[in-house]
Amino acid sequence: MSEINPVSLSDSFMDEAPKEECGIFGVFAPGEDVARISYFALFALQHRGQEAAGIAVSNGSSIEMIKEKGLVTQVFDEASLQKLKGDLAIGHTRYSTTGSNVVRNAQPLCCTTVVGDVAVAHNGNLINTHALRSKLKSEGIVFETTNDSEVISQMLSQYYKGDLEAAVRQIAPQLEGAYSLTIMSHDKLIGIRDPFGVRPLCLGKLDSGHYVLASETCALNVIGAQYMREVEPGE
């Protein structure tokens, strides 16, 4: 009989174990408690990232945001959720792919433009981050974080002139890598999936008829949303 060698589920083996790399969510639901909906959705997506969590909510004129290091239940409580009032929201649970685990790298990220705020939640990695960041720096953009998500938000802030869809269409061809995004202005929510469909993103509908976007269907189940379909690669 051959000798059996036990395998330890620690050290290098665990270092090589799959990591889900961030969860994102978005909801457009006027008249509903979008912050609370986002909270429960992020709780369901907690396995995708345990380093930081955040929710950004638009009240129709500006975007308010709470984000911090820690689990969803550590970052948010009843008092904090009560502060986030609006009709649409995006949320994020973070596992760091680029950028260290510090508060300034937590998401969503929000940029202020002359026509209003734009917020971004990002899952994935860009392979041309250095080139894009260098180009933006040469144009006078100052970065506050070390992650590639801010590259996306800064690009959006440059192209956003009041039409969020037009801005997204301008920046999307410049992004190289595997990613899915939820992007929010004061009155619009957009979801994007990379052309190869490497990072997941699905579309759901609440009982009220309003729409949600999520990394996984488990987020839809917990908020009572009906799964509609996957967002197509490149859509």
Side-chain angles (χ1 to χ4, degrees), residues 4 30 32 39 63 89 94 105 134 165 194 198-199 201 207-208 220:
I4 297 175
E32 300 199 39
Y39 170 84
I63 294 176
R94 185 171 195 264
N105 280 328
S134 296
E165 289 182 39
D194 70 78
V198 177
R199 297 293 182 230
L201 191 64
D207 290 340
S208 60
L220 308 184

Side-chain angles (χ1 to χ4, degrees), residues 4 7 28 30 32 38 40 57 65 78 100 111 120 140 144 146 157 160 169 193-194 203 213-214 221:
I4 297 175
V7 176
F28 191 111
E32 300 199 39
S38 300
F40 285 113
V57 173
M65 181 164 53
E78 185 62 30
S100 58
C111 285
V120 177
E144 298 179 355
T146 58
S157 69
Y160 180 54
R169 290 183 187 279
R193 196 175 179 195
D194 70 78
L203 179 68
L213 293 159
N221 299 335

Side-chain angles (χ1 to χ4, degrees), residues 16 23 55 83-84 89 115 122 133 144 186 202 204 219-220 235:
E16 296 173 1
I55 296 173
K83 295 177 182 178
L84 297 173
V115 292
H122 170 217
R133 183 184 288 264
E144 298 179 355
H186 70 282
C202 66
L220 308 184
E235 186 179 10

Side-chain angles (χ1 to χ4, degrees), residues 114-145:
V114 293
V115 292
D117 297 337
V118 180
V120 177
H122 170 217
N123 166 218
N125 263 104
L126 301 183
I127 61 174
N128 61 335
T129 301
H130 180 73
L132 293 174
R133 183 184 288 264
S134 296
K135 180 177 181 294
L136 290 167
K137 283 185 174 180
S138 70
E139 296 170 355
I141 300 297
V142 177
F143 286 86
E144 298 179 355
T145 75

Side-chain angles (χ1 to χ4, degrees), residues 147-168:
N147 61 44
D148 52 359
S149 306
E150 191 184 7
V151 172
I152 298 172
S153 63
Q154 291 287 6
M155 290 173 68
L156 275 170
S157 69
Q158 282 199 318
Y159 287 104
Y160 180 54
K161 309 300 181 185
D163 186 338
L164 188 60
E165 289 182 39
V168 167

Side-chain angles (χ1 to χ4, degrees), residues 172 177-182 191-202 215 229-235:
Y179 59 86
S180 58
L181 305 166
T182 50
I192 308 175
R193 196 175 179 195
D194 70 78
F196 298 101
V198 177
R199 297 293 182 230
L201 191 64
C202 66
S215 292
R229 65 177 178 86
E230 294 294 313
V231 175
E232 296 294 331
E235 186 179 10

